[in-house]
Amino acid sequence: MSMRILLVEDARLVAEPLVHALGRAGYAVDAACDGARGLELARTGAYDAIVLDIMLPQLDGLSMLAKLRRERIDTPVILLTARGDVRDRVRGLDAGADDYLAKPFHVEELLARIRAVLRRRGAPDSASAIQELGLCYVPESRELQHEGVSVALTPKEGLVLEALMRASGHTVTRERLELAVWGPDDAASDTRLDVQVSLVRTKLRAVGAPVRIRAVRGMGYVLEEEGESRERS
């Protein structure tokens, strides 16, 4: 059974890609575009985690969170905040938020934070094993499997592979991969990412996987089946 996530976000350009990405990661997602509707859905207790923007119409995210906690609804909540607004982060954590994420952010970081709050609450993480193109990768143990053969990845190799698997068949830009591996405050050199990709290719060969990581000139990399050269629509 899929874990259920409630996304409360009023910006359509943010919400729609997040709903798609969460669905691809194995979660069942409901979305609300204002705090009042979000509170109504959250009160059902049907969700394993809530991703909650602070700036919302009708009822802001902090007020919605406070109401939930007063009603003893303890569903894990990850707040989406403005990058520089420390006061909102402090108020949110004091009000009972489990974590926060500053905008703009990459979906890989949000997924990691969701997995973390689910683990802290003791919830089984149905999205922990990523399965694409005949591969199975478990981020928690950093184990890559293919047809009964397994190999362990280093932390950075794992982050590269996870980002590529979650977008299999589509180009992942260098910038997105660098952010997933090194974070926003540690810019990668021109060759450091290429070294990690080369190491991941070695691990894929070690398990005999009929896939490849193809470099897309001037853009990034794509994980695809051997012989493929056209991205999915």
Side-chain angles (χ1 to χ4, degrees):
M1 183 176 179
S2 296
M3 308 294 284
R4 298 193 65 82
I5 304 295
L6 173 61
L7 172 66
V8 190
E9 168 63 69
D10 66 315
R12 182 177 176 181
L13 291 179
V14 175
E16 290 185 352
L18 285 182
V19 169
H20 179 71
L22 290 166
R24 281 177 57 89
Y27 297 107
V29 187
D30 290 332
C33 61
D34 63 73
R37 177 58 176 163
L39 180 61
E40 179 183 353
L41 291 172
R43 279 172 168 162
T44 66
Y47 300 98
D48 298 288
I50 299 171
V51 179
L52 176 63
D53 189 27
I54 286 182
M55 300 298 294
L56 293 168
Q58 297 193 35
L59 182 68
D60 67 85
L62 291 177
S63 297
M64 174 182 157
L65 173 60
K67 287 178 180 290
L68 290 176
R69 296 307 186 235
R70 283 198 300 270
E71 295 171 15
R72 301 187 182 278
I73 297 172
D74 64 352
T75 307
V77 171
I78 298 173
L79 288 177
L80 304 182
T81 74
R83 180 170 292 279
D85 202 334
V86 176
R87 291 174 301 176
D88 278 349
R89 300 179 197 177
V90 172
R91 289 170 60 202
L93 292 171
D94 285 343
D98 295 79
D99 202 351
Y100 67 84
L101 190 57
K103 294 180 177 179
F105 56 86
H106 260 283
V107 69
E108 286 87 357
E109 184 176 4
L110 175 60
L111 291 170
R113 289 176 183 267
I114 290 173
R115 292 195 295 269
V117 298
L118 291 175
R119 286 196 300 270
R120 288 199 294 269
R121 291 298 180 101
D125 185 3
S126 64
S128 61
I130 308 167
Q131 300 187 50
E132 289 287 343
L133 305 178
L135 301 171
C136 178
Y137 177 63
V138 183
E140 284 72 18
S141 62
R142 298 196 301 276
E143 183 181 20
L144 173 65
Q145 302 174 351
H146 173 69
E147 294 186 351
V149 181
S150 65
V151 66
L153 276 65
T154 68
K156 288 184 174 59
E157 291 169 357
L159 290 169
V160 169
L161 180 62
E162 181 174 351
L164 291 170
M165 286 184 69
R166 292 194 185 281
S168 66
H170 300 276
T171 299
V172 182
T173 65
R174 293 184 66 89
E175 293 77 12
R176 182 175 168 188
L177 285 168
E178 289 167 359
L179 183 62
V181 177
W182 289 281
D185 301 320
D186 186 4
S189 68
D190 288 340
T191 60
R192 190 161 59 168
L193 175 62
D194 301 318
V195 170
Q196 293 299 321
V197 170
S198 178
L199 292 170
V200 175
R201 285 174 171 145
T202 299
K203 299 296 176 67
L204 290 170
R205 289 194 294 270
V207 297
V211 301
R212 65 175 180 173
I213 301 175
R214 178 169 58 88
V216 181
R217 185 181 296 274
M219 294 184 63
Y221 293 94
V222 57
L223 180 71
E224 62 189 13
E225 294 179 1
E226 288 283 2
E228 281 192 6
S229 61
R230 180 178 299 176
E231 293 191 13
R232 302 172 190 169
S233 59

